[in-house]
């Protein structure tokens, strides 16, 4: 039976610095998703707390972790160098499980993970983004996707069609430009937090299940 509770970890990121982590490890785990939080939040963000057990039910372990500023109690986003160090530390910790690794995260966490991968490969099977933040709200642009050209592992983009941080007319061409290594899965009417209007007839649980099903199936395709 899948274990849904999380085990606290200490993750070494550089020198003497550490951040906290939470490992959700089902007994039948066949891969681990290293899951970074969004900017201004931490590993106890409501979305992540709900998502980790859903993946565990599907045989995917999750390692959630803090960025340094969140660890210190600040809501300010980390500088890229600090965030990249945390990504690398978390992936190194996940490697102890001896399972295939997929890395990524929610919004800022996913983007920091892909930047780290584009700089020096992390040694992961793929990257999975939960709401890739293509641009700030109300400021459409695609420059935040430029570094993805230097990512050579498969990528999964889970996106809502009403995401104010990723206008679909800009995101779709950006993903297509990456070729067959990139997959885009759209959640109709979902915003950046994957909330959908009541008129859709869908509940939060339905959307979360679709996200978990899609991610688990994509990981299975990677690891065979």
């Amino acid at each position: 039976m899948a274990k849904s509770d999380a085990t606290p970890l200490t993750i070494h990121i550089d020198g003497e610095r550490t951040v906290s982590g939470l490992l959700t490890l089902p007994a039948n785990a066949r891969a681990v998703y290293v899951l970074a939080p969004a900017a201004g939040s931490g590993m106890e963000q409501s979305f992540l707390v709900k998502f980790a057990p859903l993946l565990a039910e599907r045989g995917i372990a999750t390692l959630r972790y803090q960025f340094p500023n969140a660890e210190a109690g600040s809501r300010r986003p980390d500088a890229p160098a600090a965030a990249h160090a945390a990504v690398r530390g978390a992936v190194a910790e996940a490697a102890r499980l001896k399972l295939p690794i997929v890395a990524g995260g929610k919004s800022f966490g996913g983007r920091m993970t892909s930047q780290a991968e584009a700089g020096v490969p992390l040694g992961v099977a793929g990257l999975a983004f939960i709401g890739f933040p293509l641009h700030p709200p109300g400021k459409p642009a695609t420059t935040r996707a430029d570094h993805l050209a230097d990512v050579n592992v498969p990528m999964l983009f889970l996106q809502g069609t009403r995401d104010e941080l990723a206008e679909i007319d800009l995101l779709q061409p950006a993903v297509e430009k990456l070729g067959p290594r990139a997959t885009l899965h759209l959640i109709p009417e979902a915003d950046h937090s994957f909330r959908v209007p009541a008129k859709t007839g869908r509940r939060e649980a339905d959307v979360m299940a679709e996200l978990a099903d899609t991610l688990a199936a994509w990981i299975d395709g990677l690891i065979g």
Side-chain angles (χ1 to χ4, degrees):
M1 183 172 66
K3 180 181 178 181
S4 59
D5 55 319
T7 301
L9 299 173
T10 298
I11 297 170
H12 295 267
I13 59 173
D14 55 25
E16 297 182 353
R17 287 202 302 171
T18 63
V19 293
S20 300
L22 288 171
L23 175 65
T24 302
L25 181 63
N28 61 338
R30 58 189 181 276
V32 55
Y33 181 38
V34 179
L35 177 54
S41 66
M43 62 188 181
E44 296 286 7
Q45 180 186 12
S46 175
F47 181 97
L48 305 189
V49 170
K50 296 173 183 176
F51 198 51
L54 292 177
L55 289 177
E57 291 171 5
R58 292 155 175 81
I60 306 298
T62 58
L63 176 56
R64 292 178 275 148
Y65 62 99
Q66 303 280 65
F67 285 125
N69 279 352
E71 185 78 357
S74 171
R75 295 181 61 84
R76 185 179 63 184
D78 287 85
H84 299 168
V87 170
R88 295 188 184 283
V91 170
E93 182 65 32
R96 297 174 182 269
L97 299 174
K98 307 298 183 183
L99 292 169
I101 301 171
V102 169
K106 185 76 178 71
S107 194
F108 173 85
R111 184 164 68 96
M112 292 299 101
T113 301
S114 58
Q115 286 183 355
E117 172 68 23
V120 179
L122 298 165
V124 299
L127 302 181
F129 308 109
I130 306 172
F132 186 86
L134 186 62
H135 53 75
K139 298 181 179 179
T142 60
T143 53
R144 285 184 176 180
D146 288 350
H147 71 280
L148 297 176
D150 296 321
V151 172
N152 295 310
V153 296
M155 290 170 275
L156 173 65
F157 295 78
L158 299 170
Q159 301 283 156
T161 61
R162 292 192 306 114
D163 190 336
E164 65 276 17
L165 275 68
E167 291 189 7
I168 294 303
D169 289 347
L170 295 177
L171 180 67
Q172 285 181 316
V175 173
E176 290 171 3
K177 187 177 179 180
L178 298 171
R181 69 186 186 278
T183 301
L184 174 61
H185 182 88
L186 296 175
I187 305 293
E189 295 297 310
D191 65 11
H192 191 64
S193 298
F194 293 94
R195 292 184 292 261
V196 296
K199 66 181 182 181
T200 65
R202 303 192 75 191
R203 302 170 300 157
E204 178 189 29
D206 300 325
V207 174
M208 296 292 286
E210 180 176 347
L211 292 170
D213 285 341
T214 303
L215 178 54
W218 182 77
I219 289 174
D220 284 340
L222 291 185
I223 66 178

